[in-house]
């Protein structure tokens, strides 16, 4: 099928894009990777009168990493973020989740920010942003605003983006110390949207007990559902935490629906199974990271002592 007619705009600067979007208002739609919008238009489920193609705004393609987190520009493709070693080091959940998004061909074209704005409750990245407490930066003619993940997803395929706005980047906070993450999902065929999926983050305290455990569920409600299971799994050592109790807490909180792919009952059951698996894996990763940090610190101290000894020897010789 072919899409309904539309006017095509190809701005070359951010300012030009914001002017066009201001002019087209609710009749304009941003075209990024086109991996969701074009199928919707071809199926006549979307019929914007104006398409504003932002693919020429090269300045929006950056993936910037720093100690606080990863800022992903609006034109960074899924594959680019997935392959970024810096992003994976600062926040490993990004790569863990992106590997599960569709197929490589779609990941080469689709954008991470486009996935967030598209706000499909079955998509991986909205759950990641919600779990981590990230945010989306929205620009309009005359200003920008940052919207926290908790307020950004407002319903199935609905976000806080207003007519005239362009999402210029998204921010994913860094993995805290002594923490680990994991993403588990089940789909009928490889690359399909998940029937159920869970992103998990576990943080340990200095005694390697669970200090914080959270799970974000996909296909479990109209928006990503984040469940804090810290109390449910008890402040136990990572290896002995009650992840089954955590899974029960997740099952109680979610609101999956029946559709042609699965019943709500099955989705609820599956989400609990995946939550226990993802939380256990995240806890293992947290324990490993805590061990590496401790080993790293011990190594630094040993190196420091060796350097001091060497300096002392030099001093003695001198
Ligand atoms: C066969 C198939 C399987 C897929 N499987 C999965 C999957 O398993 N998991 C998953 O998460 N996704 C999946 N996708 C969707 C894919 O990840 C898309 O790339 C993504 O959802 C949207 O990114 P995009 O850049 O293609 O956005 P587009 O299709 O260009 O746009 C999507 C929507 O977001 C808006 N938008 C995009 N960018 C901006 C912006 N910067 N500012 C304002 N509005 C913007 C558009 O106006 C439109 O409403 C699949 C797609 C296909 C075709």
């Amino acid at each position: 099928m072919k899409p309904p007619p539309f006017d095509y705009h190809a701005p070359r600067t951010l300012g030009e894009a914001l002017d066009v979007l201001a002019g087209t208002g609710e009749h304009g739609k941003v075209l990024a990777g086109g991996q969701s919008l074009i199928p919707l238009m071809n199926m006549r489920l979307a019929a914007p009168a104006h398409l504003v193609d932002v693919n020429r705004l090269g300045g929006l393609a950056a993936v910037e990493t720093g100690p606080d987190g990863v800022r992903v520009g609006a034109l960074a493709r899924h594959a680019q973020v997935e392959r970024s070693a810096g992003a994976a080091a600062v926040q490993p959940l990004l790569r863990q989740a992106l590997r599960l998004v569709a197929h490589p061909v779609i990941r080469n074209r689709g954008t991470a920010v486009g996935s967030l704005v598209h706000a499909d409750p079955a998509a991986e990245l909205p759950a990641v942003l919600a779990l981590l407490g990230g945010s989306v930066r929205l620009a309009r003619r005359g200003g920008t605003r940052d919207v926290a993940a908790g307020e950004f997803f407002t319903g199935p395929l609905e976000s806080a983006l207003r007519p005239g706005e362009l999402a210029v980047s998204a921010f994913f906070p860094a993995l805290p110390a002594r923490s680990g993450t994991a993403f588990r999902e089940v789909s009928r065929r490889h690359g399909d949207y998940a029937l159920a999926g869970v992103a998990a983050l576990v943080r340990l305290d200095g005694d390697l007990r669970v200090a914080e455990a959270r799970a974000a569920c996909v296909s479990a409600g109209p928006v990503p559902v984040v469940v804090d299971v810290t109390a449910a799994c008890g402040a136990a050592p990572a290896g002995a935490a009650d992840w089954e109790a955590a899974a029960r807490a997740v099952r109680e909180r979610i609101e999956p629906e029946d559709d042609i792919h699965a019943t709500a009952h099955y989705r609820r059951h599956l989400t609990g199974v995946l939550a226990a698996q993802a939380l256990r894996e995240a806890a293992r990763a947290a324990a490993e990271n805590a061990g590496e940090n401790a080993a790293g610190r011990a190594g630094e101290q040993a190196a420091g002592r060796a350097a001091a000894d060497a300096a002392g020897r030099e001093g003695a010789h001198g």
Side-chain angles (χ1 to χ4, degrees):
M1 281 181 70
K2 296 278 181 270
F6 56 85
D7 284 347
Y8 175 78
H9 305 263
R12 293 194 168 270
T13 64
L14 178 60
E16 211 184 303
L18 297 180
D19 283 347
V20 177
L21 284 167
T24 56
E26 63 185 23
H27 303 293
K29 275 252 176 224
V30 170
L31 174 69
Q35 300 302 299
S36 296
L37 182 55
I38 299 298
L40 285 178
M41 290 173 67
N42 286 347
M43 289 185 279
R44 308 277 170 138
L45 295 171
H50 299 268
L51 268 196
V52 185
D53 182 347
V54 293
N55 283 278
R56 286 165 187 78
L57 309 184
L60 298 183
V63 178
E64 293 164 2
T65 55
D68 294 345
V70 183
R71 184 165 290 282
V72 176
L75 275 188
R77 315 288 167 178
H78 294 309
Q80 181 186 345
V81 186
E82 182 189 352
R83 289 188 202 128
S84 164
V90 171
Q91 183 43 265
L93 185 57
L94 277 170
R95 183 177 281 174
Q96 290 165 344
L98 281 163
R99 276 202 285 245
L100 301 170
V101 173
H103 310 278
V105 173
I106 291 161
R107 299 206 290 274
N108 281 343
R109 192 71 201 154
T111 63
V113 170
S115 172
L116 297 172
V117 177
H118 189 55
D120 191 324
E124 288 81 2
L125 283 188
V128 168
L129 195 81
L131 180 76
L132 301 176
S135 58
V136 180
R137 181 162 292 168
L138 304 174
R140 63 182 186 289
R141 200 162 62 183
T144 58
R145 62 185 180 119
D146 285 340
V147 182
E151 281 99 54
F152 188 72
F153 305 107
T154 54
L157 305 188
E158 285 173 16
S159 76
L161 184 94
R162 297 181 190 139
E165 284 183 322
L166 174 69
V168 285
S169 65
F171 182 72
F172 297 87
L175 185 71
R178 293 189 299 272
S179 302
T181 56
F183 205 118
R184 287 289 178 105
E185 70 174 40
V186 168
S187 53
R188 292 184 73 111
R189 289 174 312 185
H190 173 70
D192 278 1
Y193 277 104
L195 289 180
V198 177
L201 186 145
V202 173
R203 184 172 60 80
L204 305 178
D205 65 15
D207 298 325
L208 301 189
R209 290 174 170 273
V210 176
E212 186 185 1
R214 281 182 286 135
C217 309
V218 309
S219 297
V223 295
V225 186
V226 181
V227 189
D228 189 328
V229 295
T230 316
C233 67
D242 190 349
W243 301 121
E244 295 307 324
R248 284 195 292 281
V250 168
R251 283 195 185 103
E252 278 166 21
R253 269 289 313 282
I254 59 175
E255 297 170 359
E257 287 188 354
D258 292 325
D259 65 16
I260 54 165
H261 303 297
T263 62
H265 178 77
Y266 177 64
R267 280 206 164 97
R268 191 182 298 281
H269 170 76
L270 186 56
T271 304
V273 172
L274 294 170
Q277 290 176 355
L279 285 161
R280 197 172 279 120
E281 192 180 323
R284 260 198 310 269
E288 276 170 28
N289 289 339
E292 276 169 24
N293 286 352
R297 275 200 306 279
E300 278 165 24
Q301 283 167 6
R305 277 196 301 274
D309 286 353
R313 279 196 302 276
E314 273 173 25
H317 290 303

